[in-house]
Amino acid sequence: MNVVQVRNLVFGEGRPKICVPIVGRTREEIRKQMGTAKASGADLAEWRADWYEGTGDPEKLAEILEDLREGLGEFPLLVTFRSAGEGGEQEISAEAYETFLWQVLDLGKADLLDVEFFMGEKLLSRVCRKARGQGVKVVASSHDFQKTPPREEMLERLKRMQEAGADLLKIAVMPGDPGDVLTLLSVSWEMKSRYARQPLIAISMGALGAVSRISGEIFGSAMTFGTAGQASAPGQISVEELQEVHRVIGRKR
């Protein structure tokens, strides 16, 4: 399997990297959360652009991305606009979503860019090609807040993300019972051990799925999401707790 390097981080080897969300609605809130993210002990930050009230304004978007890059320095930055259909804070049209992606790439401040798989594989492929030329890594993502799809369906999504050219492959689903969590973990291991050329991120959300956020080193997930304040998805665990569990798991292996 390939590893993916982003600044000083290497995805696909060692312990799962911990990503902390920045979910401010105003410039002031975002600036405050930048400092919290850097001091949290996490490995990288995810700016959730769908939380920000000015994302649709090109000038405000450029302003915030400049703030983020200056404030975070060498701390890696993942930029994400999560659509309402996949658990985000704002509705967005396909055209506006695509415009957002191109703007982020053109501004050159992001290290990684999230692209939702269901916005279209052709779009994902185009973004991957442009991002590769600019040194930006693409996280292809698929979220289901209602259920855990059948294992073959989840595997197929991950394989298609990979074929489209994504650097990291992400799937996050909601379990209805412990068996669904086992299904997600099984998919993560099977994808990594049999099909993956790229690192993957596999998450079972909510309280039931918490084990998936701490066991990536065993089952093949290269990144997890932790909190240093407000959570961006159900079931997230604090950065401090994730670090302690990762230390314990690492000692036992």
Side-chain angles (χ1 to χ4, degrees), residues 203-225:
I203 298 169
S204 186
M205 295 183 285
L208 269 178
V211 65
S212 71
R213 296 182 181 275
I214 64 176
S215 59
E217 190 170 354
I218 297 172
F219 293 99
S221 186
M223 186 166 80
T224 190
F225 292 78

Side-chain angles (χ1 to χ4, degrees), residues 98-158:
E98 183 171 354
T99 296
F100 168 80
L101 297 177
W102 299 135
Q103 287 174 336
V104 172
L105 286 176
D106 288 339
L107 288 165
K109 306 301 180 183
D111 298 299
L112 303 107
L113 179 62
D114 183 286
V115 181
E116 292 183 354
F117 176 68
F118 284 119
M119 284 293 185
E121 290 172 71
K122 290 182 179 179
L123 173 62
L124 175 58
S125 294
R126 293 200 306 274
V127 174
C128 288
R129 287 195 295 270
K130 180 168 182 176
R132 191 172 299 115
Q134 297 181 229
V136 176
K137 306 302 183 185
V138 171
V139 181
S141 65
S142 175
H143 298 74
D144 192 326
F145 280 75
Q146 304 303 315
K147 65 184 184 306
T148 297
R151 60 177 292 109
E152 289 304 322
E153 182 178 335
M154 290 192 282
L155 279 169
E156 183 64 19
R157 287 185 203 176
L158 291 166

Side-chain angles (χ1 to χ4, degrees), residues 17-23 33 42 44-48 50-51 78 80 82 86-87 114 143 145 170 172-175 201-214 223-243 245-246:
K17 307 306 180 283
I18 300 174
C19 183
V20 64
I22 295 173
V23 291
Q33 290 182 28
L44 70 157
E46 178 187 39
W47 177 47
R48 281 285 301 272
D50 53 294
W51 282 71
L78 164 62
T80 298
R82 183 67 60 233
E86 298 210 9
D114 183 286
H143 298 74
F145 280 75
K170 179 187 178 187
V173 297
M174 186 65 73
I201 304 159
I203 298 169
S204 186
M205 295 183 285
L208 269 178
V211 65
S212 71
R213 296 182 181 275
I214 64 176
M223 186 166 80
T224 190
F225 292 78
T227 63
Q230 189 166 356
S232 62
Q236 285 180 354
I237 301 168
S238 74
V239 171
E240 185 177 5
E241 290 173 314
L242 284 171
Q243 289 173 324
V245 173
H246 288 172

